[in-house]
Every structure is written in C-alpha cells, then in structure tokens.
Amino acid sequence: MLSSLVKEHQARQQIRKEVQEKRRQEVVTSATALTHALVDHLNAGVAQAYVNQKKLDTETKILQTNAAQFAKQTMQWLKLVEDFNQALKEIGDVENWARSIETDMRTISSALEYAYKGQSDR
C-alpha cells in the first residue's frame, strides 16, 4: 500500500514536471518571439532614421553648394554695380571738365574778340 502511494505520487509529480516543462518552453518561445518583434520594430525605426539622415546630408551638401554659388554671383553683381557707379562718376567728371573747358574757351574767345575790336577801332 505504501509503495503504491509512493508510485502514484511519483507519477503525478512526473506529470506535473512535464506540464511545467511544457509551459516553461511555451514561455521561452513567447518571450523570444516578443523580443524578436520588439527588435524588428526598433530596427525599422532606426533604419528610417538612417535613411532620413542620409537625405538630410545630401540636401545639406546641395544647399551649401548653392549658397556658395549664390555668394559668388552676388559678389560679381556688387563688383559690376561698383564699376557702373565709378563709370557714372567718371562721366560726370568728364562732363564737368567739358563745361569748364567750354567756359574757358568762351572767356578766351570773348577776350580775343574784344582785343580784335580794340585794334580795329584804332
């Protein structure tokens, strides 16, 4: 009787161990699947961030190139405007010089006419 009780107890314990081992395997499998799902989800986000960063780097390089080109063109325009302003100043100087020469020539002409008339009256 005692030995049959021990055998029954051992059989039930063995069944419980098998059930417990089966449940442990299920938990390990579920935990592994969950871990893989979380890692895949995080990797997708990281991959998208990497792609976005590469796009930003490319756009930044293009923007830097365009900004440098714009600055160069702006400097050329400023030089052109400065040269134009200088030319306008020179034209103004030539115009003033021409007026001065014209005034001097009229003065000389008047003096010569006056001198010529003064000699012819004598």
Side-chain angles (χ1 to χ4, degrees):
M1 162 128 183
L2 187 59
S3 77
S4 69
L5 282 174
V6 169
K7 286 183 183 181
E8 283 179 31
H9 174 70
Q10 287 176 346
R12 281 187 297 209
Q13 224 175 2
Q14 185 62 31
I15 292 171
R16 282 187 192 142
K17 282 184 182 179
E18 290 173 2
V19 168
Q20 187 175 6
E21 181 63 27
K22 183 179 177 186
R23 287 180 183 164
R24 189 184 70 76
Q25 286 294 334
E26 289 174 358
V27 167
V28 168
T29 304
S30 296
T32 302
L34 176 63
T35 303
H36 286 300
L38 289 173
V39 167
D40 289 344
H41 179 69
L42 289 175
N43 282 342
V46 169
Q48 186 61 43
Y50 179 76
V51 167
N52 290 344
Q53 183 64 40
K54 292 300 269 182
K55 286 180 183 177
L56 284 174
D57 289 345
T58 302
E59 292 295 323
T60 301
K61 287 178 184 176
I62 291 170
L63 182 61
Q64 286 174 339
T65 302
N66 289 345
Q69 200 172 29
F70 179 70
K72 183 179 176 183
Q73 188 173 16
T74 301
M75 293 303 292
Q76 289 173 345
W77 287 345
L78 287 173
K79 175 79 171 106
L80 184 66
V81 168
E82 286 176 16
D83 291 347
F84 182 70
N85 281 339
Q86 185 62 34
L88 286 177
K89 286 179 184 177
E90 289 173 5
I91 289 172
D93 290 344
V94 168
E95 188 176 340
N96 286 336
W97 175 78
R99 281 191 199 130
S100 176
I101 295 293
E102 184 180 4
T103 303
D104 290 346
M105 294 302 286
R106 285 184 191 195
T107 303
I108 292 170
S109 176
S110 295
L112 287 174
E113 282 181 25
Y114 180 73
Y116 180 71
K117 284 184 183 178
Q119 280 184 356
S120 49
D121 285 344
R122 285 192 195 171

